[in-house]
Amino acid sequence: MEVEVRNEQRDAQEWMRSAKFVEILASDSTFKSLFILLQHSNGEEGILLMNKSSFQEEPDWISSLCSAASLKEISRNDIFGNYDLHIPPEFNVVTSQLIFPANEKLKAKYRSEEKFVIHETPEDYRTITLGYIEKYQLNLNWVYNVLNKEAEAERIIYEDPNPENGFILSPDIKWDGKTVETLYVLAIIHRKGVRSVRDLTANDLPLLENIKEKGLKTIEENYGLRRDQVRVYFHYQPSFFHLHVHFVNVRYLPAGSNVLSAIALDDVINNITLLPDFYQKATLTFTRKKSDKLLQMFVEAGRMSKIE
C-alpha cells in the first residue's frame, strides 16, 4: 500500500511539473481557495484545487510558529503595529486536490459562474432531473473504489459493513484530517441505487438513524466534538448521485452548507417520519450555475424563463 501511495504521489508530482497554467476557474477570499486549470505538455488538462490550511490551536504549534516567524513592518502608530508575518513552509501548508485528466463536466463543476434558483417539483424531478442524472452524472467509480477499499482505505475512520444500512466514514478530500476546527467527514452508504434524498422513504429510517448515531459517536470518540457541535446534512442537488451525508464542525462554514444547498439529516428523518413519501411529494429548492446542463434542461422544458 505504501508503495502504491508513493507511486501515486510521484505521478501527480511529475504531471504537475510538466503542466502549465491555463486559467483561474474560481477563487474565494472567504475560504482562501483558488481553483485553477492546468494543461500538461501532452495536451491533457487537469484541475488543481488549493485551500489554505486553518491555523492549529495547539499551544506547542503556536509557540513554534511564533519562535520561527519574522516580522516585516508595514506601519506603526504608538503601540499599534501592522506587519507582514513570514512563517516557515511547514506552518503554511496549502491543502490541495489535483484532478487529472479533467473533462468538461469537471471544469464546469469548479468554474465560478452566476447562479440561479430552481424550484424542483416532483414532476420536474421525474421528467427533467432523472434524465439529467442518467445522462450527465459524474462517474461513480471513485465512490465504488472507496467502498471496495481499492482506494483511500487508510483514510477510513469507521465502517459498518452491513450491506443494507451500513456505511463508510472518512475525511472529505477538503479536510486535512487533523484540524478539528475544520472537521469535515463524509458517510457514504454501502447500498447502491439510493441517489439522493429524493429516493428516501420511511423504509430508510434505520439507515439514517444508523448513520447519525454511529457517525456522531465516532466523531466524538476520535476528535472530541460533542454531537451538538456537529452539523449533519445532505446536499441537494448532490455533487455525486450515491447517497452520502456530510458531518462538519458547527464552527466551520464550508461552501455548500447554506440554505439553498443543504438539508439537515434531522430534518430529513423528521419529514419522512411524519410523511413516509415526503421527498417524493415535496418541491425542493436549489441553485445551479448559468452553464449547468440541468438549468438548461429546466429552461428548455419551459420551467424557467430563458437566461440571456
Side-chain angles (χ1 to χ4, degrees), residues 196-198 200 231-238 244-246 256-269 271 278-279 282-286:
S196 71
V197 295
R198 279 290 191 193
L200 295 175
R231 184 188 301 109
V232 190
Y233 58 89
F234 296 94
H235 276 156
Y236 195 79
Q237 298 269 322
H244 56 285
V245 182
H246 303 253
S257 60
N258 61 57
V259 69
L260 289 176
S261 300
I263 306 175
L265 173 59
D266 281 330
D267 289 345
V268 172
I269 291 173
N271 288 338
F278 178 90
Y279 287 100
T283 292
L284 299 182
T285 303
F286 54 90

Side-chain angles (χ1 to χ4, degrees), residues 8-285:
E8 290 173 2
Q9 290 175 341
R10 186 182 67 246
D11 291 345
Q13 184 71 74
E14 291 176 354
W15 191 96
M16 195 163 71
R17 283 176 175 167
S18 299
K20 63 179 181 179
F21 167 75
V22 177
E23 67 170 295
I24 295 174
L25 296 175
S27 64
D28 191 318
S29 58
T30 301
F31 296 105
K32 305 296 188 295
S33 300
L34 182 66
F35 301 166
I36 63 173
L37 180 66
L38 302 172
Q39 186 174 57
H40 193 271
S41 56
N42 64 9
E44 190 175 71
E45 290 184 317
I47 299 171
L48 181 63
L49 313 177
M50 295 179 284
N51 299 276
K52 286 195 174 181
S53 299
S54 301
F55 288 107
Q56 297 182 31
E57 297 185 4
E58 288 80 4
D60 289 345
W61 187 90
I62 295 172
S63 296
S64 298
L65 183 150
C66 292
S67 299
S70 62
L71 295 173
K72 182 179 180 181
E73 185 176 295
I74 299 173
S75 63
R76 185 172 179 82
N77 184 352
D78 194 28
I79 63 172
F80 303 100
N82 296 316
Y83 305 90
D84 283 332
L85 182 69
H86 296 269
I87 57 179
E90 60 267 27
F91 296 102
N92 195 27
V93 176
V94 176
T95 304
S96 65
Q97 182 181 10
L98 179 62
I99 306 169
F100 68 97
N103 57 29
E104 292 301 320
K105 291 180 185 177
L106 287 166
K107 288 193 288 184
K109 175 182 177 180
Y110 291 108
R111 181 174 276 117
S112 178
E113 289 185 70
E114 193 173 4
K115 291 184 177 182
F116 298 85
V117 176
I118 295 177
H119 302 285
E120 179 195 76
T121 67
E123 181 66 16
D124 292 333
Y125 178 73
R126 289 189 293 270
T127 61
I128 302 173
T129 306
L130 275 179
Y132 164 82
I133 294 171
E134 292 166 2
K135 189 172 182 179
Y136 296 108
Q137 71 167 316
L138 294 175
N139 191 295
L140 294 177
N141 284 345
W142 74 270
V143 176
Y144 302 143
N145 287 342
V146 171
L147 293 174
N148 296 330
K149 301 185 182 66
E150 295 173 3
E152 303 183 44
E154 72 285 352
R155 288 168 54 83
I156 294 174
I157 302 168
Y158 172 84
E159 180 180 14
D160 179 341
N162 185 286
E164 188 68 15
N165 296 321
F167 64 97
I168 277 178
L169 192 70
S170 61
D172 183 86
I173 194 68
K174 296 182 287 295
W175 186 44
D176 62 12
K178 298 177 292 185
T179 309
V180 176
E181 291 73 24
T182 56
L183 179 138
Y184 195 147
V185 301
L186 289 182
I188 303 176
I189 70 169
H190 278 296
R191 195 196 324 164
K192 294 182 179 180
V194 186
R195 291 163 292 204
S196 71
V197 295
R198 279 290 191 193
D199 292 328
L200 295 175
T201 69
N203 294 330
D204 298 301
L205 284 171
L207 167 67
L208 301 181
E209 293 285 4
N210 191 46
I211 292 172
K212 175 185 173 181
E213 295 306 317
K214 292 180 179 176
L216 290 172
K217 180 181 179 183
T218 299
I219 289 171
E220 183 167 15
E221 291 175 349
N222 284 269
Y223 305 107
L225 282 179
R226 292 165 36 129
R227 59 191 301 124
D228 52 7
Q229 293 180 300
V230 181
R231 184 188 301 109
V232 190
Y233 58 89
F234 296 94
H235 276 156
Y236 195 79
Q237 298 269 322
S239 57
F240 61 94
F241 288 90
H242 178 100
L243 193 74
H244 56 285
V245 182
H246 303 253
F247 290 77
V248 180
N249 189 328
V250 74
R251 293 172 56 187
Y252 179 48
L253 294 174
S257 60
N258 61 57
V259 69
L260 289 176
S261 300
I263 306 175
L265 173 59
D266 281 330
D267 289 345
V268 172
I269 291 173
N270 182 63
N271 288 338
I272 60 178
T273 298
L274 294 173
L275 185 64
D277 57 351
F278 178 90
Y279 287 100
Q280 289 75 57
K281 293 181 175 179
T283 292
L284 299 182
T285 303

